[in-house]
Amino acid sequence: MSSISPTAKPSDHRIQPDISYQPDEAKWKARTVRRLSEDPDLVKLPLPADFPPKVDSPLVWEGKDWKNESQWVYALSAEELKEIDDAVKHFNSTGLHTGLVSPATFPLPTLGPTLRTLSEELHNGRGFFVLRTIPIEAYSRSDIVLLYAGISSHIAPLRGLQDANGGVLSHIKDLSATFTPEKIGGPAYTTDKQVFHTDQGSDIVSLFALETAKEGGVSRISSSWRVYNELAETRPDLVRTLAEPWDVDEFGKTPEGYTSRPLLYHHQSRIIIQYARRYFTGFQGLPRSPGIPPITEAQAEALDALHFLASRFSLGLNFQKGDIQFINNLSIFHARDAFRDDETQQRHLLRLWLRDPALGWDIPRELKPLWERTFDVQPEEQTFALEPVIRDAVKGRKVDGKN
């Protein structure tokens, strides 16, 4: 039975490199110069066994390749919006638990086949699209949640756990006016820039914009396959580093404190990167846990390379109120610019983690326990928070002070 192996190492006297959650380009460039001057042959190292020198796929793209948002935005027609509204009314008439929303219980006879085509695009095409636009004001919060889950079930029918007590829906919103920094362990609940990353344990990440920021907060995506090609050509040593086991901070959620797994995989002819920077640097109320071996200088450079290359090749999405964004979390990085809210306009997104058994990619052995944990929830056990809360996984360690 596969598992993510707990790491138990003897005392490690290395020192954590000078690296924080917010990437510093000057430090990245200086580290690169220093490491290559110390060992010029790094760039001559071979790629790991079975890793290709280049991948060629519609999933390989740069932001400059996209000329018009009509290439990735599907604009819902009046007839399709009426069909969605009818599906909301139909599901409510059944009296079923929201966790039972599915293509069968949320019928979209015309739009449904189109959404299946878009799901194919997610899995085997460019890896992203946006639905535009749901009339937010026309629905109660509970119906908005129902509508979101219902539409998404036609894209990928399995919803993944994001929180305790069966929580499959998250709210992405600045909560720093309510919670002190010590209580917040993830940037999703701040106005801070969120660096390029993937979410943990999910095929598809979906975001639904209930409201946009007053200023900033641009949603950015980037092809991790394009980043891989760049690294394979110019820095094969960093590909090797990413494909080796890393000590991943579990922030006290497991008895061992951390687990070990690669960040980069070549599996069934596909490149898969699964990483988030905060697991190696900490963030606010969840600093890096004591007792975990520090990352290496090579790993620090690799983390920065992923972010800055992703930024170079990225696409900024014009995410509007009522839009629903879907991305392939196995091949696309996502990030967010810092933003500013005011009393009249506050950025607020809903998020779902999804998997489609029919189109979903096979998951590498080392990652399967994450997927098993994420999708280990029955429909009747699913809960859908109607108001923003900090997910249990990113609550700060301190419990004193302001709630």
Side-chain angles (χ1 to χ4, degrees):
M1 180 177 177
S2 64
S3 64
I4 300 176
S5 302
T7 307
K9 295 183 179 179
S11 177
D12 194 322
H13 299 293
R14 291 175 296 157
I15 298 174
Q16 178 82 353
D18 182 13
I19 187 170
S20 60
Y21 175 78
Q22 293 295 345
D24 186 314
E25 189 169 9
K27 289 181 180 179
W28 170 50
K29 290 179 176 179
R31 178 174 282 115
T32 298
V33 169
R34 183 173 66 252
R35 293 193 67 241
L36 292 181
S37 66
E38 292 172 352
D39 187 356
D41 290 335
L42 285 175
V43 296
K44 300 177 183 178
L45 288 174
L47 291 167
D50 299 326
F51 274 73
K54 184 178 181 180
V55 288
D56 186 17
S57 162
L59 289 166
V60 180
W61 51 259
E62 299 182 21
K64 66 182 182 181
D65 296 335
W66 307 105
K67 308 303 182 184
N68 190 295
E69 66 177 10
S70 63
Q71 294 175 282
W72 69 84
V73 171
Y74 182 84
L76 293 164
S77 68
E79 292 78 15
E80 289 166 334
L81 290 171
K82 173 66 164 54
E83 193 168 90
I84 291 169
D85 190 64
D86 288 344
V88 170
K89 293 173 180 174
H90 169 77
F91 187 88
N92 282 334
S93 72
T94 67
L96 292 172
H97 183 278
T98 307
L100 293 169
V101 68
S102 69
T105 60
F106 196 89
L108 299 172
T110 302
L111 179 58
T114 299
L115 295 178
R116 291 307 296 162
T117 299
L118 289 169
S119 184
E120 178 73 32
E121 187 69 41
L122 271 183
H123 290 88
N124 299 308
R126 64 179 172 268
F128 68 97
F129 72 89
V130 172
L131 285 182
R132 178 168 294 163
T133 299
I134 301 298
I136 299 292
E137 288 81 5
Y139 295 96
S140 66
R141 176 64 58 81
S142 60
D143 279 350
I144 280 290
V145 168
L146 168 61
L147 174 155
Y148 181 31
I151 291 173
S152 298
S153 72
H154 288 264
I155 302 295
L158 301 184
R159 289 177 290 275
L161 282 169
Q162 299 187 58
D163 207 355
N165 302 315
V168 296
L169 181 78
S170 283
H171 295 251
I172 311 299
K173 194 174 190 293
D174 175 34
L175 298 179
S176 58
T178 306
F179 296 90
T180 60
E182 292 80 10
K183 293 289 189 68
I184 299 175
Y189 304 107
T190 72
T191 61
D192 292 2
K193 174 182 178 179
Q194 196 165 12
V195 304
F196 283 97
H197 67 286
T198 63
D199 286 6
Q200 184 168 279
S202 178
D203 298 44
I204 304 299
V205 173
S206 174
L207 296 170
F208 185 7
L210 301 187
E211 184 58 271
T212 58
K214 183 69 174 180
E215 181 180 321
V218 173
S219 178
R220 301 190 183 277
I221 60 173
S222 187
S223 165
S224 64
W225 287 30
R226 176 64 184 90
V227 171
Y228 171 83
N229 281 350
E230 186 73 14
L231 289 175
E233 179 181 1
T234 63
R235 293 298 303 275
D237 59 304
L238 294 184
V239 173
R240 295 178 68 90
T241 295
L242 290 164
E244 295 168 350
W246 290 51
D247 295 325
V248 182
D249 199 339
E250 297 291 343
F251 299 110
K253 305 302 180 185
T254 64
E256 298 84 7
Y258 60 100
T259 52
S260 183
R261 63 178 180 271
L263 305 190
L264 173 67
Y265 305 83
H266 183 236
H267 182 66
Q268 295 192 354
S269 301
R270 292 182 172 118
I271 293 296
I272 294 175
I273 299 180
Q274 277 283 287
Y275 99 106
R277 190 178 177 99
R278 70 181 187 88
Y279 291 106
F280 309 102
T281 65
F283 181 86
Q284 278 192 185
L286 283 179
R288 187 165 172 83
S289 299
I292 299 180
I295 65 173
T296 65
E297 286 290 325
Q299 289 174 327
E301 186 188 1
L303 286 177
D304 281 344
L306 288 179
H307 172 77
F308 287 111
L309 289 176
S311 181
R312 181 194 303 176
F313 303 133
S314 68
L315 171 68
L317 300 179
N318 177 28
F319 210 18
Q320 299 178 13
K321 181 176 180 177
D323 284 359
I324 307 178
Q325 170 185 305
F326 295 88
I327 66 168
N328 183 329
N329 188 54
L330 298 173
S331 68
I332 304 288
F333 295 127
H334 59 286
R336 178 197 73 203
D337 289 357
F339 65 93
R340 180 180 65 84
D341 288 336
D342 67 11
E343 293 181 357
T344 64
Q345 189 170 336
Q346 299 174 0
R347 189 178 193 269
H348 187 180
L349 310 182
L350 301 180
R351 182 179 69 191
L352 288 171
W353 289 344
L354 305 167
R355 178 169 173 82
D356 182 355
L359 295 175
W361 295 5
D362 190 67
I363 303 301
R365 173 183 56 81
E366 297 90 338
L367 295 177
K368 282 185 177 178
L370 293 175
W371 262 252
E372 291 167 359
R373 194 159 65 223
T374 298
F375 293 99
D376 182 23
V377 58
Q378 295 302 311
E380 298 87 349
E381 300 169 340
Q382 295 177 11
T383 61
F384 300 78
L386 297 182
E387 297 299 330
V389 295
I390 298 177
R391 293 191 304 126
D392 186 64
V394 287
K395 287 179 179 177
R397 290 195 180 100
K398 295 188 177 180
V399 295
D400 299 327
K402 192 163 57 174
N403 291 331

